[in-house]
Amino acid sequence: MLLNEESSKAFQTHMKGSDYNIQSAIRHAKNGLYGKACQVLNSSGIAPNNDTTWQLLKTKHPNAAPPVIPPSDSSDNPPILPPDFNILSVLSPYGVEKIVHGLRICIEEQVNDKDFGVMKIDLRNAFNLVSRQALLDECRAHFSEIFQWAAGSVMVITPYCCLPWVVTAIAADSICSQLSFHSWYMDDGVSAGPKQAALHALSIIKQLGPPLGLFINTSKCELFTKEGLRGFPDEMKISDALNFEILGVSIGDPIFCAKSIAEKRAHASKFLALLKEVALEELHLFDEEVHQTFSDSMCIDPSDSVWQQAQLSLSRGGLGLRSASLHSSAAFMSSFSMARLMSASSNLAASWLSVIPSPGLNLHLDTAEFQTALKWWLGIDMFGGSRCPSCSTQSLDPLGHYALTCRYNGDVVSRHNQLRNTFFESCRQAGVGGQMEVGSGLGHDERRTRPADVLVPNWDLGKPAAFDLTVASPLNQSILNEVCVTAGSSARVSEQRKHASNDVKCSELGWSCIPLAVETYGCWGAEARLYLSHLASCLAARLNCSKSHATSTLYGRLNLVLVRANARALLSRAYGVSSDIPA
């Protein structure tokens, strides 16, 4: 459906206007949505809700018949690309960097070759025109094992899904094989090498692309070369200097790159100037609303220091409730508060806050446990200097150190057993097996100790590993100064104690002694991190997922169990609630 010339001109005039963009950016910035404000300023405008806009949308997003799902069978092997031919997406780690740096190296090596050129390739409306039917046909032919999944997901495919067959044809072509570089990032392509090879690659895309819904937009393709331009389409933009931008990054001589950076800085200054128009009072009002919402939902009235911690990121021991008016780190803290924050901000200590609640998997906190855990995490006093109701001998400190280390009422043993059970279940899921509470009565140890909370029979080259879990408090007075400087110091000392206690007996039994020490705030010791990393690798292989996902899942589960046991111990002393709840 095409627009008449008058409607099209009216729409373009509106899109060129900047007043609406500026006002919209100011509104977003007032609400603390700086990312959206930047997007508005960098866009060509916001279309009005009228018939002209709807007609343009219908033109850009043409109707197409739904794909027909063919029968699944197995045939050819999937296409294999040479290492210099890449297809990357937003999910590819360092995808932009790989293309940019690879292209720069290619240009540096061949910049003096008169036959060398760089061609940027643009596909017309690729995300909307890409053929779902073609994807299903190719998936059935080459990737039969995921065909059923693809058949149920064809509405979310991108040009990234259909490009492999085009790029494979280019890689296999004898002329195109002369290309030094040919890569795609989603629907943005770039070729570098002899100009005739680049031209031939362009013809292959024109030939093979349309059946897949991939159409060359010649007017937006660009060629950068010093000389010799015969054979390229007249409508293609051609430059005799190797100065250009690819994926938002400038490539070329120093003068061009400096000018490009200056233009970006000038464009960014437009937004920085807008921030001056945003009243600081409104940002403070926004912060106050966040503060009030947190207080109401958590039944907490945080002090200034507590709220300051809550505004820190999760990696720094906070809750990620960043301030719109002021981004700041924590101010001066006492030694106990500093030690607490050092432990809570260690790697993956806050992973319990990212666990998706699941009562069925016993990965959840009830309302009282969650509120208590947050108060403890933020250092809010729940005891008011009262005595411990379990032992009646010690006063309960504001940070909960004694409440979590008091051995009366069975809370310390219960927490240990819950962590042991969770670790044992993780070993079982990883396929490494194991037994719980092994070692008592074995060997010549008269103390009848059990150095293995969990004994894994075949851990390191067939040698059994005795995992012994222990929980330490980073607020222990004897090591407080060291904890304030180095996170995990309390866990390290606990590991040393476990080795001193169990190494002899484990050696006698032919076991490896592996202490798994964790601080009450979830900071694991160095040895624990090493062996949990190995366990995460086993989980990733067993569950067919990435190691990073397995690692975050493993730590999240262990730390959630740890924090839940802590919350129950705190509840039992603050409000007299029993902590004897099955894990």
Side-chain angles (χ1 to χ4, degrees):
M1 184 182 299
L2 300 176
L3 295 175
N4 59 51
E5 184 177 353
E6 183 179 352
S7 299
S8 179
K9 288 182 178 180
F11 180 78
Q12 292 174 4
T13 300
H14 170 81
M15 296 294 281
K16 290 179 180 178
S18 60
D19 290 343
Y20 186 87
N21 286 20
I22 293 175
Q23 295 303 319
S24 179
I26 291 175
R27 286 198 301 273
H28 286 312
K30 285 182 177 180
N31 292 324
L33 304 176
Y34 304 116
K36 286 190 175 181
C38 289
Q39 290 176 3
V40 170
L41 289 174
N42 283 280
S43 70
S44 58
I46 298 177
N49 184 8
N50 56 30
D51 293 340
T52 301
T53 299
W54 284 107
Q55 289 177 352
L56 278 173
L57 287 173
K58 290 178 180 179
T59 302
K60 187 175 181 180
H61 302 267
N63 291 327
V68 178
I69 300 177
S72 174
D73 63 355
S74 214
S75 62
D76 300 335
N77 293 322
I80 299 176
L81 300 178
D84 294 333
F85 284 58
N86 301 306
I87 305 176
L88 306 171
S89 75
V90 292
L91 298 178
S92 305
Y94 306 106
V96 173
E97 288 83 352
K98 289 178 180 177
I99 291 179
V100 170
H101 293 304
L103 185 57
R104 276 178 174 160
I105 293 173
C106 180
I107 292 174
E108 290 174 359
E109 292 176 347
Q110 304 181 61
V111 66
N112 295 322
D113 186 351
K114 295 181 179 180
D115 191 39
F116 176 77
V118 177
M119 181 176 65
K120 292 170 59 177
I121 307 167
D122 184 78
L123 299 177
R124 177 166 56 88
N125 198 17
F127 279 80
N128 300 308
L129 298 179
V130 62
S131 172
R132 273 72 179 164
Q133 184 65 61
L135 171 69
L136 285 179
D137 293 340
E138 297 291 351
C139 185
R140 177 178 61 87
H142 301 290
F143 300 99
S144 58
E145 64 275 10
I146 64 167
F147 171 74
Q148 292 301 325
W149 174 85
S153 308
V154 292
M155 296 309 295
V156 295
I157 69 164
T158 69
Y160 175 79
C161 304
C162 289
L163 278 170
W165 289 275
V166 176
V167 179
T168 303
I170 294 174
D173 185 85
S174 58
I175 298 178
C176 293
S177 63
Q178 302 174 36
L179 288 172
S180 306
F181 191 86
H182 185 86
S183 290
W184 291 79
Y185 188 86
M186 301 300 286
D187 60 338
D188 294 313
V190 58
S191 292
K195 291 188 288 293
Q196 289 306 310
L199 180 62
H200 198 62
L202 193 67
S203 66
I204 291 178
I205 299 173
K206 287 183 177 181
Q207 177 184 355
L208 300 182
L212 300 173
L214 305 176
F215 302 90
I216 289 287
N217 189 355
T218 311
S219 62
K220 289 189 176 182
C221 293
E222 299 178 74
L223 177 67
F224 304 90
T225 184
K226 292 186 175 181
E227 59 182 56
L229 309 175
R230 289 185 302 172
F232 286 90
D234 295 335
E235 60 270 29
M236 178 181 286
K237 298 177 183 178
I238 297 177
S239 172
D240 58 359
L242 290 172
N243 295 324
F244 56 93
E245 283 197 2
I246 183 74
L247 301 176
V249 180
S250 302
I251 294 180
D253 58 53
I255 296 177
F256 171 78
C257 292
K259 181 181 177 181
S260 178
I261 293 174
E263 291 175 352
K264 286 184 171 66
R265 186 168 58 246
H267 189 70
S269 65
K270 184 191 301 183
F271 175 68
L272 296 176
L274 283 175
L275 290 180
K276 298 179 181 179
E277 301 181 27
V278 180
L280 189 59
E281 294 180 3
E282 297 189 33
L283 296 179
H284 283 302
L285 289 175
F286 177 79
D287 287 344
E288 289 176 6
E289 291 180 6
V290 174
H291 184 286
Q292 190 61 47
T293 301
F294 173 77
S295 299
D296 293 343
S297 59
M298 293 294 105
C299 300
I300 295 174
D301 185 16
S303 63
D304 291 343
S305 60
V306 168
W307 183 241
Q308 192 175 44
Q309 180 185 343
Q311 290 178 316
L312 298 176
S313 64
L314 292 181
S315 63
R316 294 185 178 272
L319 300 179
L321 303 176
R322 302 302 297 271
S323 169
S325 58
L326 180 65
H327 294 278
S328 63
S329 300
F332 173 77
M333 299 181 178
S334 67
S335 295
F336 283 103
S337 296
M338 182 60 72
R340 174 179 60 84
L341 192 56
M342 285 290 289
S343 182
S345 61
S346 62
N347 187 33
L348 294 173
S351 56
W352 66 277
L353 285 164
S354 303
V355 174
I356 300 174
S358 175
L361 297 175
N362 197 27
L363 297 176
H364 72 293
L365 300 171
D366 63 29
T367 302
E369 291 167 349
F370 186 61
Q371 291 177 348
T372 302
L374 282 186
K375 291 178 181 179
W376 164 73
W377 190 260
L378 295 173
I380 297 175
D381 186 5
M382 292 177 282
F383 306 109
S386 62
R387 284 192 173 275
C388 176
S390 299
C391 65
S392 302
T393 59
Q394 296 288 335
S395 296
L396 294 169
D397 58 279
L399 299 180
H401 165 65
Y402 187 76
L404 298 181
T405 55
C406 176
R407 295 190 174 274
Y408 289 85
N409 205 29
D411 294 317
V412 171
V413 175
S414 175
R415 179 178 60 197
H416 171 273
N417 292 344
Q418 292 174 42
L419 272 176
R420 176 203 61 198
N421 295 346
T422 304
F423 178 75
F424 173 76
E425 179 62 21
S426 298
C427 289
R428 188 191 64 80
Q429 290 181 344
V432 298
Q435 299 172 267
M436 287 197 298
E437 299 294 349
V438 181
S440 178
L442 299 179
H444 299 89
D445 188 355
E446 296 179 356
R447 295 175 296 167
R448 301 180 65 83
T449 57
R450 290 178 294 189
D453 286 325
V454 176
L455 180 68
V456 177
N458 296 295
W459 180 258
D460 185 13
L461 299 177
K463 188 176 184 179
F467 291 98
D468 194 3
L469 285 103
T470 183
V471 181
S473 173
L475 306 184
N476 193 311
Q477 185 74 46
S478 62
I479 197 174
L480 190 62
N481 292 335
E482 188 174 348
V483 174
C484 289
V485 177
T486 307
S489 296
S490 183
R492 176 183 55 78
V493 171
S494 294
E495 289 176 341
Q496 293 172 351
R497 289 174 179 168
K498 284 293 183 182
H499 277 299
S501 176
N502 296 329
D503 275 354
V504 173
K505 185 168 185 177
C506 285
S507 177
E508 180 184 337
L509 296 172
W511 300 348
S512 296
C513 176
I514 302 177
L516 300 180
V518 59
E519 297 177 355
T520 49
Y521 288 94
C523 176
W524 291 81
E527 285 191 74
R529 294 196 302 271
L530 176 64
Y531 292 106
L532 288 178
S533 175
H534 180 68
L535 183 60
S537 298
C538 297
L539 278 170
R542 189 71 179 269
L543 302 178
N544 193 25
C545 64
S546 66
K547 183 180 178 181
S548 61
H549 176 73
T551 300
S552 61
T553 299
L554 177 62
Y555 276 92
R557 185 177 184 184
L558 288 169
N559 284 359
L560 180 67
V561 170
L562 172 67
V563 170
R564 182 172 58 199
N566 289 341
R568 290 172 178 176
L570 295 166
L571 278 169
S572 70
R573 285 161 176 78
Y575 310 109
V577 178
S578 173
S579 64
D580 189 16
I581 305 172

